Amino acid sequence: DVKVTQSSRYLVKRTGEKVFLECVQDMDHENMFWYRQDPGLGLRLIYFSYDVKMKEKGDIPEGYSVSREKKERFSLILESASTNQTSMYLCASSRTGTGSHQPQHFGDGTRLSIL
Amino acid sequence: GEDVEQSLFLSVREGDSSVINCTYTDSSSTYLYWYKQEPGAGLQLLTYIFSNMDMKQDQRLTVLLNKKDKHLSLRIADTQTGDSAIYFCAEKRSSASKIIFGSGTRLSIRP
């Protein structure tokens, strides 16, 4: 089974802090994704990565950056945390294959609160 | 637009069938997915259907696809309390590895 592990289930930080959310997958997947989930808005894609050191902006990248130095690890960085970044953050990974069945596998999420 | 649309809430009686509906926009979508999210957890892949299929059945789950209307549905037979969750519809377009998610339908079960 694919295992996607997010480093923290719950995190509380202060406004202005630099925050790191870590995600590791154990299935050698090429693609990794960061989403945030807010009530009534579903999942919104922040950033994704197709390969090591590659990154692409998603739908809501403002206020975030990412790092993919190793294939199995994808980090989400909040450069200067703000209260509107309080949310549930979900990491996912998938194998490459634009025309084939390659679903995304999700971690359990990190509930981040910015005070 | 690019939206995948679902109603936000559904309430059914225990033992009845639940039908969760979804509309998508891209006729070139190759795979359509249903994910389940239990409280406090990530998303779990429930089932999927390829775009050249009309129906897929997997135990209590039945997926119906109407390509003409771009309508997808998930039927859960004999709904149980453990089926309480948020259900996300998602489409994967042929041109990308990204998946577009709907906003999720919260299914609640009443006795």
PDB file of all heavy atoms in Angstrom, chain A residues 53-91:
ATOM      1  N   LYS A  53      13.344  18.854  -7.685  1.00  0.00           N
ATOM      2  CA  LYS A  53      13.707  20.244  -7.975  1.00  0.00           C
ATOM      3  C   LYS A  53      12.762  20.936  -8.956  1.00  0.00           C
ATOM      4  O   LYS A  53      13.000  22.071  -9.362  1.00  0.00           O
ATOM      5  CB  LYS A  53      15.156  20.342  -8.484  1.00  0.00           C
ATOM      6  CG  LYS A  53      16.187  19.907  -7.441  1.00  0.00           C
ATOM      7  CD  LYS A  53      17.589  20.311  -7.830  1.00  0.00           C
ATOM      8  CE  LYS A  53      18.625  19.712  -6.893  1.00  0.00           C
ATOM      9  NZ  LYS A  53      18.488  20.223  -5.522  1.00  0.00           N
ATOM     10  N   MET A  54      11.688  20.267  -9.357  1.00  0.00           N
ATOM     11  CA  MET A  54      10.697  20.898 -10.224  1.00  0.00           C
ATOM     12  C   MET A  54       9.498  21.297  -9.390  1.00  0.00           C
ATOM     13  O   MET A  54       9.081  20.551  -8.495  1.00  0.00           O
ATOM     14  CB  MET A  54      10.240  19.929 -11.320  1.00  0.00           C
ATOM     15  CG  MET A  54      11.357  19.387 -12.161  1.00  0.00           C
ATOM     16  SD  MET A  54      12.108  20.641 -13.196  1.00  0.00           S
ATOM     17  CE  MET A  54      10.817  20.850 -14.415  1.00  0.00           C
ATOM     18  N   LYS A  55       8.922  22.454  -9.702  1.00  0.00           N
ATOM     19  CA  LYS A  55       7.713  22.873  -9.002  1.00  0.00           C
ATOM     20  C   LYS A  55       6.853  23.689  -9.954  1.00  0.00           C
ATOM     21  O   LYS A  55       7.365  24.366 -10.853  1.00  0.00           O
ATOM     22  CB  LYS A  55       8.051  23.679  -7.755  1.00  0.00           C
ATOM     23  CG  LYS A  55       8.837  24.948  -8.021  1.00  0.00           C
ATOM     24  CD  LYS A  55       9.208  25.632  -6.725  1.00  0.00           C
ATOM     25  CE  LYS A  55      10.032  26.883  -6.998  1.00  0.00           C
ATOM     26  NZ  LYS A  55      10.509  27.518  -5.747  1.00  0.00           N
ATOM     27  N   GLU A  56       5.556  23.605  -9.732  1.00  0.00           N
ATOM     28  CA  GLU A  56       4.601  24.349 -10.550  1.00  0.00           C
ATOM     29  C   GLU A  56       3.578  24.981  -9.618  1.00  0.00           C
ATOM     30  O   GLU A  56       3.130  24.340  -8.655  1.00  0.00           O
ATOM     31  CB  GLU A  56       3.854  23.412 -11.509  1.00  0.00           C
ATOM     32  CG  GLU A  56       4.720  22.726 -12.534  1.00  0.00           C
ATOM     33  CD  GLU A  56       4.951  23.591 -13.752  1.00  0.00           C
ATOM     34  OE1 GLU A  56       4.252  24.602 -13.903  1.00  0.00           O
ATOM     35  OE2 GLU A  56       5.836  23.232 -14.554  1.00  0.00           O
ATOM     36  N   LYS A  57       3.179  26.197  -9.916  1.00  0.00           N
ATOM     37  CA  LYS A  57       2.134  26.844  -9.123  1.00  0.00           C
ATOM     38  C   LYS A  57       0.790  26.189  -9.394  1.00  0.00           C
ATOM     39  O   LYS A  57       0.476  25.845 -10.534  1.00  0.00           O
ATOM     40  CB  LYS A  57       2.064  28.333  -9.457  1.00  0.00           C
ATOM     41  CG  LYS A  57       3.284  29.111  -9.005  1.00  0.00           C
ATOM     42  CD  LYS A  57       3.142  30.583  -9.350  1.00  0.00           C
ATOM     43  CE  LYS A  57       4.374  31.360  -8.893  1.00  0.00           C
ATOM     44  NZ  LYS A  57       4.286  32.794  -9.252  1.00  0.00           N
ATOM     45  N   GLY A  58       0.022  26.075  -8.321  1.00  0.00           N
ATOM     46  CA  GLY A  58      -1.352  25.618  -8.458  1.00  0.00           C
ATOM     47  C   GLY A  58      -2.287  26.804  -8.570  1.00  0.00           C
ATOM     48  O   GLY A  58      -1.948  27.833  -9.158  1.00  0.00           O
ATOM     49  N   ASP A  59      -3.443  26.676  -7.967  1.00  0.00           N
ATOM     50  CA  ASP A  59      -4.458  27.722  -8.081  1.00  0.00           C
ATOM     51  C   ASP A  59      -4.296  28.841  -7.062  1.00  0.00           C
ATOM     52  O   ASP A  59      -4.719  29.966  -7.300  1.00  0.00           O
ATOM     53  CB  ASP A  59      -5.856  27.092  -7.916  1.00  0.00           C
ATOM     54  CG  ASP A  59      -6.105  26.041  -8.968  1.00  0.00           C
ATOM     55  OD1 ASP A  59      -5.758  26.273 -10.140  1.00  0.00           O
ATOM     56  OD2 ASP A  59      -6.629  24.959  -8.628  1.00  0.00           O
ATOM     57  N   ILE A  60      -3.668  28.552  -5.917  1.00  0.00           N
ATOM     58  CA  ILE A  60      -3.542  29.560  -4.847  1.00  0.00           C
ATOM     59  C   ILE A  60      -2.130  29.557  -4.261  1.00  0.00           C
ATOM     60  O   ILE A  60      -1.940  29.297  -3.081  1.00  0.00           O
ATOM     61  CB  ILE A  60      -4.607  29.336  -3.738  1.00  0.00           C
ATOM     62  CG1 ILE A  60      -4.594  27.879  -3.239  1.00  0.00           C
ATOM     63  CG2 ILE A  60      -5.997  29.705  -4.222  1.00  0.00           C
ATOM     64  CD1 ILE A  60      -5.272  27.694  -1.908  1.00  0.00           C
ATOM     65  N   PRO A  61      -1.105  29.890  -5.034  1.00  0.00           N
ATOM     66  CA  PRO A  61       0.268  29.810  -4.525  1.00  0.00           C
ATOM     67  C   PRO A  61       0.708  30.975  -3.644  1.00  0.00           C
ATOM     68  O   PRO A  61       1.738  30.888  -2.973  1.00  0.00           O
ATOM     69  CB  PRO A  61       1.086  29.789  -5.814  1.00  0.00           C
ATOM     70  CG  PRO A  61       0.261  30.599  -6.768  1.00  0.00           C
ATOM     71  CD  PRO A  61      -1.179  30.303  -6.424  1.00  0.00           C
ATOM     72  N   GLU A  62      -0.069  32.056  -3.631  1.00  0.00           N
ATOM     73  CA  GLU A  62       0.393  33.270  -2.946  1.00  0.00           C
ATOM     74  C   GLU A  62       0.579  33.008  -1.446  1.00  0.00           C
ATOM     75  O   GLU A  62      -0.299  32.471  -0.788  1.00  0.00           O
ATOM     76  CB  GLU A  62      -0.631  34.403  -3.139  1.00  0.00           C
ATOM     77  CG  GLU A  62      -0.786  34.865  -4.582  1.00  0.00           C
ATOM     78  CD  GLU A  62      -1.675  33.936  -5.411  1.00  0.00           C
ATOM     79  OE1 GLU A  62      -2.453  33.145  -4.808  1.00  0.00           O
ATOM     80  OE2 GLU A  62      -1.580  33.980  -6.642  1.00  0.00           O
ATOM     81  N   GLY A  63       1.748  33.427  -0.947  1.00  0.00           N
ATOM     82  CA  GLY A  63       2.049  33.262   0.467  1.00  0.00           C
ATOM     83  C   GLY A  63       2.713  31.944   0.803  1.00  0.00           C
ATOM     84  O   GLY A  63       3.050  31.689   1.958  1.00  0.00           O
ATOM     85  N   TYR A  64       2.903  31.105  -0.223  1.00  0.00           N
ATOM     86  CA  TYR A  64       3.501  29.781  -0.027  1.00  0.00           C
ATOM     87  C   TYR A  64       4.688  29.583  -0.962  1.00  0.00           C
ATOM     88  O   TYR A  64       4.780  30.209  -2.009  1.00  0.00           O
ATOM     89  CB  TYR A  64       2.488  28.675  -0.322  1.00  0.00           C
ATOM     90  CG  TYR A  64       1.224  28.723   0.470  1.00  0.00           C
ATOM     91  CD1 TYR A  64       0.091  29.362  -0.032  1.00  0.00           C
ATOM     92  CD2 TYR A  64       1.146  28.119   1.722  1.00  0.00           C
ATOM     93  CE1 TYR A  64      -1.087  29.401   0.694  1.00  0.00           C
ATOM     94  CE2 TYR A  64      -0.039  28.153   2.452  1.00  0.00           C
ATOM     95  CZ  TYR A  64      -1.141  28.798   1.928  1.00  0.00           C
ATOM     96  OH  TYR A  64      -2.315  28.833   2.652  1.00  0.00           O
ATOM     97  N   SER A  65       5.590  28.713  -0.556  1.00  0.00           N
ATOM     98  CA  SER A  65       6.613  28.198  -1.460  1.00  0.00           C
ATOM     99  C   SER A  65       6.794  26.718  -1.139  1.00  0.00           C
ATOM    100  O   SER A  65       6.230  26.214  -0.168  1.00  0.00           O
ATOM    101  CB  SER A  65       7.940  28.958  -1.309  1.00  0.00           C
ATOM    102  OG  SER A  65       8.448  28.792  -0.002  1.00  0.00           O
ATOM    103  N   VAL A  66       7.534  26.019  -2.009  1.00  0.00           N
ATOM    104  CA  VAL A  66       7.740  24.589  -1.815  1.00  0.00           C
ATOM    105  C   VAL A  66       9.189  24.229  -2.106  1.00  0.00           C
ATOM    106  O   VAL A  66       9.926  24.993  -2.726  1.00  0.00           O
ATOM    107  CB  VAL A  66       6.815  23.737  -2.725  1.00  0.00           C
ATOM    108  CG1 VAL A  66       5.373  23.816  -2.275  1.00  0.00           C
ATOM    109  CG2 VAL A  66       6.974  24.136  -4.182  1.00  0.00           C
ATOM    110  N   SER A  67       9.542  23.040  -1.648  1.00  0.00           N
ATOM    111  CA  SER A  67      10.893  22.530  -1.893  1.00  0.00           C
ATOM    112  C   SER A  67      10.800  21.040  -2.150  1.00  0.00           C
ATOM    113  O   SER A  67      10.128  20.317  -1.411  1.00  0.00           O
ATOM    114  CB  SER A  67      11.770  22.791  -0.671  1.00  0.00           C
ATOM    115  OG  SER A  67      13.016  22.155  -0.795  1.00  0.00           O
ATOM    116  N   ARG A  68      11.504  20.585  -3.207  1.00  0.00           N
ATOM    117  CA  ARG A  68      11.559  19.138  -3.498  1.00  0.00           C
ATOM    118  C   ARG A  68      13.011  18.796  -3.839  1.00  0.00           C
ATOM    119  O   ARG A  68      13.407  18.751  -4.997  1.00  0.00           O
ATOM    120  CB  ARG A  68      10.641  18.796  -4.676  1.00  0.00           C
ATOM    121  CG  ARG A  68      10.588  17.279  -4.954  1.00  0.00           C
ATOM    122  CD  ARG A  68       9.226  16.747  -4.780  1.00  0.00           C
ATOM    123  NE  ARG A  68       9.146  15.309  -4.980  1.00  0.00           N
ATOM    124  CZ  ARG A  68       8.576  14.733  -6.042  1.00  0.00           C
ATOM    125  NH1 ARG A  68       8.057  15.480  -7.002  1.00  0.00           N
ATOM    126  NH2 ARG A  68       8.524  13.421  -6.129  1.00  0.00           N
ATOM    127  N   GLU A  69      13.773  18.570  -2.795  1.00  0.00           N
ATOM    128  CA  GLU A  69      15.192  18.232  -2.948  1.00  0.00           C
ATOM    129  C   GLU A  69      15.406  16.736  -3.161  1.00  0.00           C
ATOM    130  O   GLU A  69      16.400  16.320  -3.772  1.00  0.00           O
ATOM    131  CB  GLU A  69      15.985  18.702  -1.721  1.00  0.00           C
ATOM    132  CG  GLU A  69      16.007  20.216  -1.553  1.00  0.00           C
ATOM    133  CD  GLU A  69      16.711  20.897  -2.708  1.00  0.00           C
ATOM    134  OE1 GLU A  69      17.780  20.420  -3.146  1.00  0.00           O
ATOM    135  OE2 GLU A  69      16.183  21.918  -3.207  1.00  0.00           O
ATOM    136  N   LYS A  70      14.492  15.927  -2.640  1.00  0.00           N
ATOM    137  CA  LYS A  70      14.553  14.478  -2.827  1.00  0.00           C
ATOM    138  C   LYS A  70      13.204  14.001  -3.349  1.00  0.00           C
ATOM    139  O   LYS A  70      12.164  14.610  -3.063  1.00  0.00           O
ATOM    140  CB  LYS A  70      14.881  13.781  -1.509  1.00  0.00           C
ATOM    141  CG  LYS A  70      16.265  14.064  -0.991  1.00  0.00           C
ATOM    142  CD  LYS A  70      16.549  13.234   0.243  1.00  0.00           C
ATOM    143  CE  LYS A  70      17.973  13.476   0.728  1.00  0.00           C
ATOM    144  NZ  LYS A  70      18.301  12.673   1.919  1.00  0.00           N
ATOM    145  N   LYS A  71      13.222  12.900  -4.076  1.00  0.00           N
ATOM    146  CA  LYS A  71      12.001  12.436  -4.732  1.00  0.00           C
ATOM    147  C   LYS A  71      10.903  12.138  -3.720  1.00  0.00           C
ATOM    148  O   LYS A  71       9.723  12.356  -3.995  1.00  0.00           O
ATOM    149  CB  LYS A  71      12.323  11.186  -5.548  1.00  0.00           C
ATOM    150  CG  LYS A  71      11.225  10.779  -6.509  1.00  0.00           C
ATOM    151  CD  LYS A  71      11.679   9.622  -7.368  1.00  0.00           C
ATOM    152  CE  LYS A  71      10.644   9.296  -8.426  1.00  0.00           C
ATOM    153  NZ  LYS A  71      11.068   8.155  -9.277  1.00  0.00           N
ATOM    154  N   GLU A  72      11.254  11.609  -2.563  1.00  0.00           N
ATOM    155  CA  GLU A  72      10.233  11.153  -1.637  1.00  0.00           C
ATOM    156  C   GLU A  72       9.681  12.264  -0.736  1.00  0.00           C
ATOM    157  O   GLU A  72       8.718  12.039  -0.018  1.00  0.00           O
ATOM    158  CB  GLU A  72      10.797  10.024  -0.742  1.00  0.00           C
ATOM    159  CG  GLU A  72      11.908  10.448   0.219  1.00  0.00           C
ATOM    160  CD  GLU A  72      13.299  10.330  -0.383  1.00  0.00           C
ATOM    161  OE1 GLU A  72      13.411  10.259  -1.634  1.00  0.00           O
ATOM    162  OE2 GLU A  72      14.252  10.314   0.418  1.00  0.00           O
ATOM    163  N   ARG A  73      10.277  13.447  -0.782  1.00  0.00           N
ATOM    164  CA  ARG A  73       9.913  14.481   0.188  1.00  0.00           C
ATOM    165  C   ARG A  73       9.505  15.781  -0.502  1.00  0.00           C
ATOM    166  O   ARG A  73      10.197  16.266  -1.404  1.00  0.00           O
ATOM    167  CB  ARG A  73      11.091  14.758   1.128  1.00  0.00           C
ATOM    168  CG  ARG A  73      10.794  15.715   2.258  1.00  0.00           C
ATOM    169  CD  ARG A  73      12.053  15.914   3.120  1.00  0.00           C
ATOM    170  NE  ARG A  73      12.454  14.676   3.777  1.00  0.00           N
ATOM    171  CZ  ARG A  73      12.015  14.282   4.953  1.00  0.00           C
ATOM    172  NH1 ARG A  73      11.184  15.055   5.649  1.00  0.00           N
ATOM    173  NH2 ARG A  73      12.439  13.155   5.481  1.00  0.00           N
ATOM    174  N   PHE A  74       8.382  16.325  -0.041  1.00  0.00           N
ATOM    175  CA  PHE A  74       7.869  17.575  -0.624  1.00  0.00           C
ATOM    176  C   PHE A  74       7.461  18.470   0.531  1.00  0.00           C
ATOM    177  O   PHE A  74       6.583  18.102   1.322  1.00  0.00           O
ATOM    178  CB  PHE A  74       6.680  17.263  -1.534  1.00  0.00           C
ATOM    179  CG  PHE A  74       6.232  18.391  -2.417  1.00  0.00           C
ATOM    180  CD1 PHE A  74       7.124  19.292  -2.978  1.00  0.00           C
ATOM    181  CD2 PHE A  74       4.887  18.518  -2.755  1.00  0.00           C
ATOM    182  CE1 PHE A  74       6.703  20.303  -3.821  1.00  0.00           C
ATOM    183  CE2 PHE A  74       4.448  19.527  -3.606  1.00  0.00           C
ATOM    184  CZ  PHE A  74       5.355  20.416  -4.138  1.00  0.00           C
ATOM    185  N   SER A  75       8.096  19.617   0.635  1.00  0.00           N
ATOM    186  CA  SER A  75       7.865  20.504   1.773  1.00  0.00           C
ATOM    187  C   SER A  75       7.075  21.731   1.334  1.00  0.00           C
ATOM    188  O   SER A  75       7.339  22.305   0.275  1.00  0.00           O
ATOM    189  CB  SER A  75       9.201  20.964   2.370  1.00  0.00           C
ATOM    190  OG  SER A  75       9.985  19.853   2.750  1.00  0.00           O
ATOM    191  N   LEU A  76       6.149  22.124   2.162  1.00  0.00           N
ATOM    192  CA  LEU A  76       5.385  23.361   1.949  1.00  0.00           C
ATOM    193  C   LEU A  76       5.856  24.376   2.975  1.00  0.00           C
ATOM    194  O   LEU A  76       5.961  24.056   4.166  1.00  0.00           O
ATOM    195  CB  LEU A  76       3.888  23.100   2.110  1.00  0.00           C
ATOM    196  CG  LEU A  76       2.973  24.310   1.936  1.00  0.00           C
ATOM    197  CD1 LEU A  76       2.951  24.751   0.465  1.00  0.00           C
ATOM    198  CD2 LEU A  76       1.549  23.986   2.399  1.00  0.00           C
ATOM    199  N   ILE A  77       6.136  25.581   2.502  1.00  0.00           N
ATOM    200  CA  ILE A  77       6.683  26.625   3.375  1.00  0.00           C
ATOM    201  C   ILE A  77       5.756  27.834   3.365  1.00  0.00           C
ATOM    202  O   ILE A  77       5.393  28.338   2.288  1.00  0.00           O
ATOM    203  CB  ILE A  77       8.087  27.034   2.902  1.00  0.00           C
ATOM    204  CG1 ILE A  77       8.994  25.801   2.839  1.00  0.00           C
ATOM    205  CG2 ILE A  77       8.693  28.108   3.823  1.00  0.00           C
ATOM    206  CD1 ILE A  77      10.127  25.892   1.860  1.00  0.00           C
ATOM    207  N   LEU A  78       5.380  28.263   4.550  1.00  0.00           N
ATOM    208  CA  LEU A  78       4.661  29.522   4.695  1.00  0.00           C
ATOM    209  C   LEU A  78       5.702  30.553   5.110  1.00  0.00           C
ATOM    210  O   LEU A  78       6.248  30.496   6.209  1.00  0.00           O
ATOM    211  CB  LEU A  78       3.576  29.418   5.769  1.00  0.00           C
ATOM    212  CG  LEU A  78       2.299  28.657   5.428  1.00  0.00           C
ATOM    213  CD1 LEU A  78       2.558  27.167   5.224  1.00  0.00           C
ATOM    214  CD2 LEU A  78       1.242  28.868   6.497  1.00  0.00           C
ATOM    215  N   GLU A  79       6.017  31.447   4.217  1.00  0.00           N
ATOM    216  CA  GLU A  79       7.145  32.361   4.429  1.00  0.00           C
ATOM    217  C   GLU A  79       6.935  33.260   5.641  1.00  0.00           C
ATOM    218  O   GLU A  79       7.852  33.492   6.418  1.00  0.00           O
ATOM    219  CB  GLU A  79       7.366  33.204   3.182  1.00  0.00           C
ATOM    220  CG  GLU A  79       7.756  32.399   1.944  1.00  0.00           C
ATOM    221  CD  GLU A  79       9.156  31.805   2.039  1.00  0.00           C
ATOM    222  OE1 GLU A  79       9.957  32.239   2.906  1.00  0.00           O
ATOM    223  OE2 GLU A  79       9.459  30.875   1.261  1.00  0.00           O
ATOM    224  N   SER A  80       5.728  33.767   5.799  1.00  0.00           N
ATOM    225  CA  SER A  80       5.384  34.625   6.943  1.00  0.00           C
ATOM    226  C   SER A  80       3.913  34.370   7.231  1.00  0.00           C
ATOM    227  O   SER A  80       3.038  34.949   6.597  1.00  0.00           O
ATOM    228  CB  SER A  80       5.634  36.096   6.603  1.00  0.00           C
ATOM    229  OG  SER A  80       5.232  36.925   7.680  1.00  0.00           O
ATOM    230  N   ALA A  81       3.675  33.476   8.179  1.00  0.00           N
ATOM    231  CA  ALA A  81       2.319  32.964   8.384  1.00  0.00           C
ATOM    232  C   ALA A  81       1.337  34.075   8.735  1.00  0.00           C
ATOM    233  O   ALA A  81       1.655  35.007   9.490  1.00  0.00           O
ATOM    234  CB  ALA A  81       2.333  31.902   9.486  1.00  0.00           C
ATOM    235  N   SER A  82       0.134  33.945   8.180  1.00  0.00           N
ATOM    236  CA  SER A  82      -0.936  34.900   8.496  1.00  0.00           C
ATOM    237  C   SER A  82      -2.178  34.115   8.913  1.00  0.00           C
ATOM    238  O   SER A  82      -2.324  32.924   8.608  1.00  0.00           O
ATOM    239  CB  SER A  82      -1.243  35.789   7.296  1.00  0.00           C
ATOM    240  OG  SER A  82      -1.722  35.015   6.224  1.00  0.00           O
ATOM    241  N   THR A  83      -3.087  34.792   9.600  1.00  0.00           N
ATOM    242  CA  THR A  83      -4.259  34.095  10.150  1.00  0.00           C
ATOM    243  C   THR A  83      -5.122  33.478   9.057  1.00  0.00           C
ATOM    244  O   THR A  83      -5.783  32.458   9.278  1.00  0.00           O
ATOM    245  CB  THR A  83      -5.100  35.041  11.016  1.00  0.00           C
ATOM    246  OG1 THR A  83      -5.434  36.208  10.250  1.00  0.00           O
ATOM    247  CG2 THR A  83      -4.339  35.473  12.265  1.00  0.00           C
ATOM    248  N   ASN A  84      -5.119  34.065   7.857  1.00  0.00           N
ATOM    249  CA  ASN A  84      -5.939  33.482   6.777  1.00  0.00           C
ATOM    250  C   ASN A  84      -5.325  32.210   6.186  1.00  0.00           C
ATOM    251  O   ASN A  84      -5.887  31.628   5.254  1.00  0.00           O
ATOM    252  CB  ASN A  84      -6.248  34.507   5.690  1.00  0.00           C
ATOM    253  CG  ASN A  84      -5.010  35.007   4.965  1.00  0.00           C
ATOM    254  OD1 ASN A  84      -3.926  34.442   5.118  1.00  0.00           O
ATOM    255  ND2 ASN A  84      -5.165  36.051   4.181  1.00  0.00           N
ATOM    256  N   GLN A  85      -4.192  31.805   6.715  1.00  0.00           N
ATOM    257  CA  GLN A  85      -3.608  30.523   6.313  1.00  0.00           C
ATOM    258  C   GLN A  85      -3.941  29.402   7.301  1.00  0.00           C
ATOM    259  O   GLN A  85      -3.467  28.268   7.154  1.00  0.00           O
ATOM    260  CB  GLN A  85      -2.099  30.655   6.143  1.00  0.00           C
ATOM    261  CG  GLN A  85      -1.731  31.540   4.949  1.00  0.00           C
ATOM    262  CD  GLN A  85      -0.241  31.729   4.788  1.00  0.00           C
ATOM    263  OE1 GLN A  85       0.466  32.111   5.747  1.00  0.00           O
ATOM    264  NE2 GLN A  85       0.257  31.496   3.602  1.00  0.00           N
ATOM    265  N   THR A  86      -4.774  29.720   8.284  1.00  0.00           N
ATOM    266  CA  THR A  86      -5.309  28.670   9.149  1.00  0.00           C
ATOM    267  C   THR A  86      -6.187  27.757   8.305  1.00  0.00           C
ATOM    268  O   THR A  86      -7.138  28.219   7.671  1.00  0.00           O
ATOM    269  CB  THR A  86      -6.133  29.287  10.293  1.00  0.00           C
ATOM    270  OG1 THR A  86      -5.259  29.988  11.176  1.00  0.00           O
ATOM    271  CG2 THR A  86      -6.894  28.222  11.061  1.00  0.00           C
ATOM    272  N   SER A  87      -5.859  26.473   8.282  1.00  0.00           N
ATOM    273  CA  SER A  87      -6.566  25.567   7.382  1.00  0.00           C
ATOM    274  C   SER A  87      -6.098  24.133   7.620  1.00  0.00           C
ATOM    275  O   SER A  87      -5.180  23.884   8.404  1.00  0.00           O
ATOM    276  CB  SER A  87      -6.275  25.957   5.928  1.00  0.00           C
ATOM    277  OG  SER A  87      -7.060  25.204   5.022  1.00  0.00           O
ATOM    278  N   MET A  88      -6.741  23.205   6.908  1.00  0.00           N
ATOM    279  CA  MET A  88      -6.257  21.823   6.841  1.00  0.00           C
ATOM    280  C   MET A  88      -5.415  21.707   5.570  1.00  0.00           C
ATOM    281  O   MET A  88      -5.876  22.086   4.483  1.00  0.00           O
ATOM    282  CB  MET A  88      -7.435  20.858   6.766  1.00  0.00           C
ATOM    283  CG  MET A  88      -7.039  19.441   6.429  1.00  0.00           C
ATOM    284  SD  MET A  88      -6.285  18.583   7.807  1.00  0.00           S
ATOM    285  CE  MET A  88      -7.630  17.473   8.248  1.00  0.00           C
ATOM    286  N   TYR A  89      -4.197  21.193   5.718  1.00  0.00           N
ATOM    287  CA  TYR A  89      -3.294  21.034   4.573  1.00  0.00           C
ATOM    288  C   TYR A  89      -3.128  19.553   4.273  1.00  0.00           C
ATOM    289  O   TYR A  89      -2.825  18.748   5.156  1.00  0.00           O
ATOM    290  CB  TYR A  89      -1.946  21.688   4.859  1.00  0.00           C
ATOM    291  CG  TYR A  89      -2.045  23.188   4.885  1.00  0.00           C
ATOM    292  CD1 TYR A  89      -2.394  23.873   6.045  1.00  0.00           C
ATOM    293  CD2 TYR A  89      -1.831  23.934   3.724  1.00  0.00           C
ATOM    294  CE1 TYR A  89      -2.524  25.253   6.057  1.00  0.00           C
ATOM    295  CE2 TYR A  89      -1.953  25.313   3.727  1.00  0.00           C
ATOM    296  CZ  TYR A  89      -2.297  25.966   4.902  1.00  0.00           C
ATOM    297  OH  TYR A  89      -2.424  27.338   4.902  1.00  0.00           O
ATOM    298  N   LEU A  90      -3.329  19.220   3.008  1.00  0.00           N
ATOM    299  CA  LEU A  90      -3.252  17.829   2.572  1.00  0.00           C
ATOM    300  C   LEU A  90      -2.168  17.662   1.527  1.00  0.00           C
ATOM    301  O   LEU A  90      -2.099  18.434   0.570  1.00  0.00           O
ATOM    302  CB  LEU A  90      -4.585  17.374   1.982  1.00  0.00           C
ATOM    303  CG  LEU A  90      -5.737  17.248   2.974  1.00  0.00           C
ATOM    304  CD1 LEU A  90      -7.067  17.207   2.256  1.00  0.00           C
ATOM    305  CD2 LEU A  90      -5.581  16.008   3.821  1.00  0.00           C
ATOM    306  N   CYS A  91      -1.356  16.634   1.715  1.00  0.00           N
ATOM    307  CA  CYS A  91      -0.320  16.285   0.758  1.00  0.00           C
ATOM    308  C   CYS A  91      -0.786  15.041  -0.003  1.00  0.00           C
ATOM    309  O   CYS A  91      -1.472  14.173   0.562  1.00  0.00           O
ATOM    310  CB  CYS A  91       0.972  15.999   1.497  1.00  0.00           C
ATOM    311  SG  CYS A  91       2.330  15.400   0.473  1.00  0.00           S
TER     312      CYS A  91
END
